[in-house]
Amino acid sequence: MPGVRSLGHHAAMERHDNVFVLRLGDDENLINPDLLARVHEQLDEVERAPEPRALVTCGGGRFYSTGLDLPWMAANPDRIVDLVDGMHALFARLLELPVPTVAALNGHAFAGGAMLALSHDLRVMRADRGYFCLPEIDGRLAFTPGLSDLVAARLTPQVAHEAMTTGRRYTGPEARELAIVDRVAGADDVLPEAIALGAALSTKDATTYGTIRRRLYRHVIASLGDRETNLQDVVRLSAAMREAAR
């Protein structure tokens, strides 16, 4: 039986032989300071664990993650800059993590949740339900330079262009055809398939694996870490939300 360890109200970590599984939660798994802290806590533990190892993340129910926690942002406009900076830092950490990573997309992956999935090495998506979508265009939100570089690095140019400029919702089979995800599976097989993919990569030498990924994505990692450039638009958004809250 896999071990299970609680990570607070909405998350638990399991271990299936060499594969750590982080269940983000059973709701929309919105990206806020609490979720970021919990994910970093797991990454710390995974990095401390002896090899071999791999990491799988998954949601629950209808959702993988639907992105930034807009209600939290409306209630905390003075902390929006730090939240977005923290999201960038998480994506950068995943890109250079010396551990194979697989996102098990059990349901909807929208906006920041979709980009969280793109920060993993591989993605397995449910075939019959759920969408992968970057809807920022319809919310009149421009992607930060770091996020633009992340999407451009993980998707083909034409698919990145379409996804970012149209807000198209991709089903699992459509996402597989366009190489947004690597596998599709039935509802009950998404997580087992992701675990199998992680297990197959878990014996790779961690130092070599991390070095290859860090060099492969060095421009994206640097772009995500460029706080001043990334957060110009976010500062304006924060100011607008503070004004609206008055």
Side-chain angles (χ1 to χ4, degrees):
M1 293 291 291
V4 179
R5 186 175 67 82
S6 174
L7 285 179
H9 183 63
H10 292 297
M13 174 135 73
E14 305 170 1
R15 186 162 186 176
H16 298 253
D17 297 322
N18 298 338
V19 181
F20 291 85
V21 176
L22 172 61
R23 295 182 181 272
L24 298 171
D26 294 325
D27 53 20
E28 294 187 48
N29 302 317
L30 297 172
I31 297 173
N32 54 38
D34 178 63
L35 184 140
L36 292 175
R38 287 188 283 111
V39 174
H40 278 297
E41 179 185 346
Q42 179 187 357
L43 297 185
D44 290 342
E45 180 165 338
V46 173
E47 287 199 76
R48 288 193 298 265
E51 300 175 50
R53 61 199 176 182
L55 172 68
V56 169
T57 65
C58 66
R62 297 170 51 205
F63 303 102
Y64 176 72
S65 170
T66 55
L68 283 169
D69 189 337
L70 299 181
W72 185 94
M73 293 169 66
N76 299 273
D78 293 331
R79 300 175 62 190
I80 291 173
V81 171
D82 289 336
L83 174 62
V84 176
D85 191 44
M87 181 179 71
H88 286 167
L90 174 61
F91 296 168
R93 184 178 184 184
L94 284 167
L95 285 174
E96 61 182 338
L97 198 71
V99 178
T101 56
V102 186
L105 306 183
N106 56 285
H108 299 309
F110 274 58
M115 287 180 276
L116 173 63
L118 291 178
S119 301
H120 292 61
D121 291 310
L122 300 168
R123 286 154 296 287
V124 180
M125 187 172 176
R126 183 170 169 174
D128 62 335
R129 186 173 181 179
Y131 295 106
F132 178 100
C133 180
L134 298 174
E136 281 78 359
I137 182 68
D138 295 319
R140 299 184 179 182
L141 294 172
F143 295 85
T144 66
L147 297 178
S148 296
D149 290 339
L150 169 62
V151 176
R154 300 313 319 270
L155 303 181
T156 66
Q158 186 57 36
V159 173
H161 179 91
E162 179 185 61
M164 296 173 75
T165 62
T166 70
R168 174 180 170 183
R169 297 185 177 194
Y170 299 92
T171 64
E174 290 169 341
R176 177 65 187 91
E177 182 180 357
L178 296 170
I180 297 172
V181 302
D182 302 276
R183 303 275 180 88
V184 293
D188 294 334
D189 296 324
V190 172
L191 183 57
E193 183 76 13
I195 291 172
L197 288 173
L201 291 171
S202 65
T203 57
K204 303 298 183 184
D205 177 72
T207 300
T208 305
Y209 198 86
T211 300
I212 288 172
R213 297 173 84 224
R214 185 170 59 254
R215 291 174 179 172
L216 181 63
Y217 295 109
R218 65 187 184 278
H219 299 304
V220 182
I221 293 166
S223 182
L224 286 166
D226 186 347
R227 180 183 173 96
E228 182 176 354
T229 300
N230 280 317
L231 298 181
Q232 291 176 357
D233 290 342
V234 182
V235 169
R236 288 192 288 270
L237 173 63
S238 175
M241 295 185 81
R242 284 199 303 271
E243 183 65 27
R246 291 180 179 176

